Amino acid sequence: MPKLHPLDLAIADAWPDLSSAAAVQAFEATPYDQRIAAASTYAALQRGAAINPDAPAIIFLPNADPDEPGQRISHAQFMAGVTQAANLFSALGVGPDDVVSVLLPLLPQSFFAIFGAEAVGIANPVNSLLEAGQIAEILHAANTRVLVAQGPGSDIWAKVERIRDRLPQLKAVLVVGGSGPAPEGTLAFDALLAQQPAGQLSSGRQIRASDTAAYFHTGGTTGLPKLVRHSHGNQVYQAWAMALMLQMRPAAPMLCGLPLFHVGGGLTQGLAPLAAGGTLVVLSALGWRSPAAVRNVWRLVERFRPDVFGGVPTVLGAALTVPLDGADVSSVRCIWGGGSAIPVPVGQAYERLFKAPVLEVYGMTETASVHAMSNAQRPLRIGTVGQALPYSRLRVVVVDATGQVQRDCAVDEIGVVAMAGPGVFTGYLSESHNRDAFVAPGWVNSGDLGRLDAEGYLWITGRAKDLIIRGGHNIDPMAIEEVFFGHPAVALACVVGAPDAYAGELPVAYVQLKPGASVSADELLDHVRQHTPERAAVPVALYFVDSVPQTAVGKVFKPALRLDAAQRAVTRLLAGMAPDAATLRVEVGAHPVHGSLITVTLGGVAEPQRAALGQAVSQRLDPLTLRHALVWA
């Protein structure tokens, strides 16, 4: 009989007692390196597949339709595909230090390519929704040797065609799908895959836990791409820890809709269930971005009967708007969510709907995804992310001007959240990004603000860079957003800082209403005033939007809102300054040196008037913390 946890040498017949800090300490008495059976992601997948090779590893639903049979791939077939992909890359000259970039949607081949690349070299899953130029910068920074991309007829291929000439280091392009034969100068991935041996790695590589497994892109979209370097040990820890905390069972299905270029999709929702012998139900190539996946969510739960249901908060919120219509969802025994904070009303709604625990998870790309989470064996508190995973550590610290630890914060004192443990990376690919990455050796700076309460629960209070500073007073936007979420008409709310010549920053709000809901800005702001004891935190403006901007994995994209808030504020500040028949246009965008830059374009202004007008505009803008530039059209 297989062990309950295939990656753990010590767990046999029952899940361990983790119901208290003392119990966790007793569990950790076995050194971590004596506990883990797999050194690499390839070995972890092999152990998961060995439990029942005939059980499905992947069920791919092209239309996210619960009535379609789907493509069934057994664990034995899955391991064969991963091994064949590794051998294909090896035949193309890929070695342990060479990079295979993967530019694919959620397809079975995506899993083969990513984990096959990790078995022979370094995988680099890339966000295909980025602009072509940004993709080229990532591939250049990674020094990509082989690219696997979706074929002709797709948006992805159109981007590949625009950037191939900019990547002289690229030795081969492998095409998945598409219309017609593989384009000139490319190779057909599926055809070549079938020609490779499936029984073992032809390279004979013995992978160590310290070997690099992958580069994941994170951070902004300007400047040198920030590539997080994951070791095999980092990723195996994530698979082990999540299977442990969620008590993943062999053959247990999980709805899979997060993209694989994000650690939540590739590791937490991908590698972890597969390494536990589970089944991924892949909800179309678009995942949760497919309207059908959300529309059919409860019928999918009824058909496949997952015992764990989760995703990013936007997915959880969208699912709540879908009526159950009698669907049997009794299989779900817990709900998890992460990527950003779960709004308290959303968590409470799931508790009422499922009568099951809601487990909030917390981590980052630099910690190979989840680092802390609520524990179903311990008292649950909606709004907290619980405690660090076993063998991981959390600190909340005060840092000095250089980003180094000055001291640990007192109980309930807000500071910077720092993390250490087996999942924490050793640094970015570029040393230029490592200068402020760690607050102390081994302790990564999360960039988040939080506090630890008297019982060791971590409460995330906001992003350090999200902090709004109004006249020297710190305002945490998350607290105000929670008040908005308490209004029955609000689906999503974001509070950001807008530049102000007097106060430095003023809070403004962006609100997306629930379908069919109606409420005025004044009513909503009155609601905030009534429930916010801090008068300075009440937004000075509220903007209704049809859709709050989100990243490809469903996180609210606040940088876009900050730029929009700045553009609106500067436009108001300069109102009426342009002479008759002249035009004045304000744009605020990301800048690789200044962070953000205001560009004021003035048109139709005669040469003799330009100097005086330019001086007047600069006098208005100089008090702002943002840099500005004038352009004459």
Side-chain angles (χ1 to χ4, degrees):
M1 180 178 178
K3 290 182 183 294
L4 197 57
H5 196 313
L7 300 185
D8 197 310
L9 293 169
I11 297 176
D13 300 322
W15 294 106
D17 175 16
L18 301 174
S19 61
S20 66
V24 172
Q25 187 176 13
F27 177 74
E28 292 178 338
T30 299
Y32 175 73
D33 59 3
Q34 294 179 21
R35 183 177 285 284
I36 299 302
S40 68
T41 58
Y42 185 75
L45 292 170
Q46 283 181 313
R47 293 186 69 86
I51 296 172
N52 184 354
D54 295 327
I58 291 176
I59 300 174
F60 177 61
L61 303 179
N63 303 299
D65 185 347
D67 296 325
E68 63 184 328
Q71 178 185 357
R72 184 184 184 278
I73 300 170
S74 71
H75 273 279
Q77 293 168 326
F78 175 75
M79 278 312 303
V82 170
T83 303
Q84 287 174 310
N87 291 337
L88 170 56
F89 299 142
S90 183
L92 293 172
V94 173
D97 298 323
D98 295 318
V99 175
V100 177
S101 291
V102 179
L103 203 56
L104 292 173
L106 263 177
L107 299 171
Q109 294 95 326
S110 308
F111 295 88
F112 299 156
I114 291 171
F115 293 117
E118 292 192 359
V120 70
I122 300 170
N124 173 225
V126 180
N127 181 355
S128 61
L129 300 178
L130 295 174
E131 294 298 322
Q134 295 169 324
I135 293 172
E137 290 174 356
I138 292 171
L139 301 188
H140 181 74
N143 196 28
T144 300
R145 298 296 182 182
V146 174
L147 173 64
V148 186
Q150 192 174 24
S154 67
D155 291 340
I156 291 175
W157 184 251
K159 295 175 183 178
V160 171
E161 284 192 312
R162 293 204 294 272
I163 65 176
R164 283 177 67 186
D165 292 343
R166 297 169 54 181
L167 301 167
Q169 79 279 11
L170 200 58
K171 302 304 181 185
V173 177
L174 295 164
V175 175
V176 175
S179 53
E184 184 178 354
T186 69
L187 303 169
F189 180 79
D190 289 336
L192 292 179
L193 196 75
Q195 298 174 14
Q196 295 296 324
Q200 61 184 7
L201 297 177
S202 57
S203 66
R205 182 184 181 193
Q206 299 296 312
I207 308 170
R208 298 168 300 180
S210 58
D211 288 347
T212 301
Y215 298 149
F216 275 81
H217 177 246
T218 189
T221 56
T222 59
L224 182 67
K226 185 181 286 188
L227 294 177
V228 173
R229 187 173 51 219
H230 282 171
S231 71
H232 280 269
N234 293 150
Q235 295 193 352
V236 168
Y237 173 75
Q238 180 65 194
W240 170 83
M242 289 308 295
L244 173 70
M245 299 302 292
L246 294 176
Q247 298 188 359
M248 295 179 179
R249 300 175 292 105
M254 178 175 285
L255 301 185
C256 176
L258 297 178
L260 301 186
F261 59 76
H262 185 270
V263 288
L267 304 180
T268 306
Q269 209 173 74
L271 178 63
L274 291 169
T279 300
L280 299 183
V281 181
V282 180
L283 307 178
S284 83
L286 296 177
W288 289 117
R289 289 176 50 241
S290 165
V294 176
R295 183 174 63 246
N296 296 328
V297 59
W298 304 130
R299 292 176 57 221
L300 288 162
V301 169
E302 181 176 51
R303 175 185 169 186
F304 293 103
R305 301 195 62 74
D307 52 8
V308 175
F309 176 74
V312 294
T314 47
V315 170
L316 295 178
L320 283 178
T321 67
V322 179
L324 284 177
D325 285 341
D328 180 2
V329 296
S330 60
S331 66
V332 177
R333 59 174 174 78
C334 78
I335 296 92
W336 69 270
S340 58
I342 302 175
V344 171
V346 171
Q348 292 170 336
Y350 272 96
E351 285 186 330
R352 291 192 300 269
L353 181 65
F354 287 97
K355 305 296 189 292
V358 176
L359 309 178
E360 187 158 352
V361 305
Y362 171 74
M364 56 196 299
T365 307
E366 291 82 348
T367 62
S369 197
V370 178
H371 187 89
M373 68 180 292
S374 304
N375 183 347
Q377 296 186 35
R378 301 176 75 167
L380 297 179
R381 299 175 182 175
I382 292 289
T384 174
V385 297
Q387 297 86 14
L389 300 176
Y391 298 97
S392 288
R393 298 292 181 263
L394 284 168
R395 297 169 72 184
V396 176
V397 298
V398 175
V399 298
D400 60 23
T402 68
Q404 297 299 292
V405 172
Q406 278 188 319
R407 61 175 177 83
D408 284 272
C409 289
V411 170
D412 284 330
E413 180 185 4
I414 292 175
V416 173
V417 178
M419 297 175 278
V424 174
F425 79 143
T426 57
Y428 299 103
L429 181 60
S430 170
E431 280 302 319
S432 65
H433 292 133
N434 290 323
R435 285 193 290 269
D436 57 357
F438 298 90
V439 300
W443 289 89
V444 66
N445 184 340
S446 71
D448 287 324
L449 299 173
R451 59 182 175 84
L452 285 166
D453 66 19
E455 296 178 61
Y457 286 78
L458 176 63
W459 300 79
I460 301 300
T461 61
R463 287 287 295 168
K465 66 181 181 182
D466 281 355
L467 200 67
I468 300 168
I469 304 177
R470 179 175 184 170
H473 178 67
N474 291 352
I475 298 170
D476 180 2
M478 186 179 290
I480 313 307
E481 290 162 356
E482 290 288 358
V483 176
F484 275 108
F485 280 119
H487 193 282
V490 173
L492 285 174
C494 297
V495 177
V496 299
D500 181 76
Y502 175 73
E505 286 182 304
L506 293 173
V508 298
Y510 290 80
V511 173
Q512 176 183 328
L513 297 179
K514 293 178 180 177
S518 177
V519 64
S520 71
D522 288 342
E523 287 177 281
L524 271 184
L525 290 175
D526 282 340
H527 168 79
V528 174
R529 289 188 189 94
Q530 292 169 16
H531 295 87
T532 304
E534 188 179 16
R535 183 177 177 183
V538 177
V540 299
L542 186 152
Y543 308 118
F544 289 111
V545 291
D546 293 333
S547 179
V548 169
Q550 299 174 17
T551 68
V553 295
K555 292 184 183 181
V556 171
F557 189 60
K558 281 196 171 183
L561 296 180
R562 291 191 198 95
L563 296 178
D564 182 80
Q567 188 270 336
R568 292 173 186 260
V570 174
T571 299
R572 285 195 300 272
L573 191 62
L574 300 182
M577 292 197 69
D580 292 342
T583 59
L584 185 152
R585 186 176 74 254
V586 175
E587 296 174 306
V588 183
H591 190 275
V593 175
H594 305 307
S596 300
L597 181 70
I598 302 166
T599 302
V600 180
T601 303
L602 291 153
V605 180
E607 184 67 37
Q609 296 177 286
R610 289 187 177 184
L613 180 58
Q615 184 178 8
V617 168
S618 290
Q619 286 176 344
R620 291 270 182 101
L621 299 182
D622 283 342
L624 303 180
T625 57
L626 300 181
R627 299 287 187 94
H628 67 271
L630 300 182
V631 176
W632 301 99

